[in-house]
Amino acid sequence: KPYDVDYKVLIIGESRVGKTSIIKRLNDEGFNENTISTVGLDFVNVYFDIDGVKVKLQIWDTAGQERFRTITRNHFRNTKGTVLVYDISEKESFEKLEYWAENISIMNLDSEIVYIVGNKNDLEQKREVSFEQGKKFATRNLMKFFETSAKNAENLNEIFKNLAFDILDT
Ligand code: GTP
């Protein structure tokens, strides 16, 4: 086995915030990976070395809001981490975070670790949600906060490496 531990994580959030672009970008970055389609979902495997422990993250991409409702708990049993994404240039996607956070707890995803990620921060001129607003929401919900851009890959490796570290640490 090319890894020591294997964790399932989930990317969720409103339609068009860039969930698929994020996992595609992680793919492009030269990690060992493969994508397949299963029941309308995709995943990518990303490997990190965390202090000598080889961690495999199986990162699941989900469809936006409408289709998420049809996904049953079963699909995401044993999810160890959840990345909840909004689009910094789309205020509505930020306002829906509460809805998604509720979904995470309703579905009881076994996900102890939730990250809030504001995507598309390359679109500074179109920004509708400040860094501070994102940070505030995350802090209030005891979650870590990051901004990223799937377009220029800013922060992406760091976010998922951080997540691998935090999961390993629980
Ligand atoms: P659903 O599958 O509908 O849930 O959408 P999604 O969240 O997977 O979004 P997707 O990755 O399909 O991206 C939606 C649109 O946003 C596409 O046109 C992407 O090119 C664009 N996009 C995604 N990430 C970024 C980013 O970081 N910056 C910019 N400028 N555009 C982005």
Side-chain angles (χ1 to χ4, degrees):
K1 252 185 354 186
Y3 54 88
D4 303 312
V5 287
D6 180 8
Y7 302 125
K8 200 165 165 179
V9 304
L10 181 60
I11 303 189
I12 63 174
E14 286 296 286
S15 198
R16 309 302 289 165
V17 297
K19 302 179 296 296
T20 303
S21 300
I22 287 171
I23 74 161
K24 284 209 171 123
R25 172 57 84 178
L26 281 168
N27 240 0
D28 292 343
E29 288 297 300
F31 294 98
N32 304 315
E33 87 306 312
N34 40 73
T35 58
I36 61 155
S37 280
T38 317
V39 292
L41 306 165
D42 281 328
F43 71 84
V44 53
N45 292 329
V46 179
Y47 297 80
F48 295 103
D49 189 301
I50 308 287
D51 300 328
V53 181
K54 289 194 190 64
V55 180
K56 171 180 151 187
L57 286 191
Q58 188 182 83
I59 306 170
W60 284 82
D61 181 20
T62 63
Q65 190 168 352
E66 293 311 315
R67 280 167 61 202
F68 189 80
R69 293 209 183 95
T70 69
I71 297 170
T72 68
R73 256 191 80 172
N74 257 1
H75 290 117
F76 297 113
R77 215 178 359 221
N78 297 322
T79 298
K80 293 299 179 199
T82 304
V83 176
L84 177 42
V85 183
Y86 69 94
D87 173 352
I88 67 127
S89 70
E90 201 64 59
K91 193 158 181 267
E92 207 192 318
S93 70
F94 177 72
E95 291 166 347
K96 287 279 177 63
L97 286 183
E98 206 80 61
Y99 162 87
W100 287 106
E102 272 168 31
N103 256 295
I104 294 169
S105 50
I106 287 167
M107 291 179 79
N108 190 15
L109 292 169
D110 301 324
S111 185
E112 292 175 38
I113 300 163
V114 181
Y115 282 8
I116 300 295
V117 170
N119 188 38
K120 308 195 190 182
N121 80 342
D122 57 289
L123 297 177
E124 193 54 53
Q125 71 288 359
K126 289 187 175 169
R127 180 187 283 276
E128 292 182 358
V129 183
S130 71
F131 185 93
E132 289 68 28
Q133 283 174 291
K135 174 94 183 153
K136 204 169 159 188
F137 177 90
T139 304
R140 200 169 65 230
N141 290 282
L142 307 175
M143 298 163 180
K144 280 190 186 174
F145 175 66
F146 304 88
E147 280 192 357
T148 189
S149 164
K151 190 172 179 183
N152 62 27
E154 181 183 327
N155 232 357
L156 270 189
N157 293 349
E158 290 80 357
I159 291 169
F160 286 91
K161 188 167 186 181
N162 211 298
L163 185 57
F165 180 90
D166 280 350
I167 293 171
L168 202 56
D169 206 35
T170 52

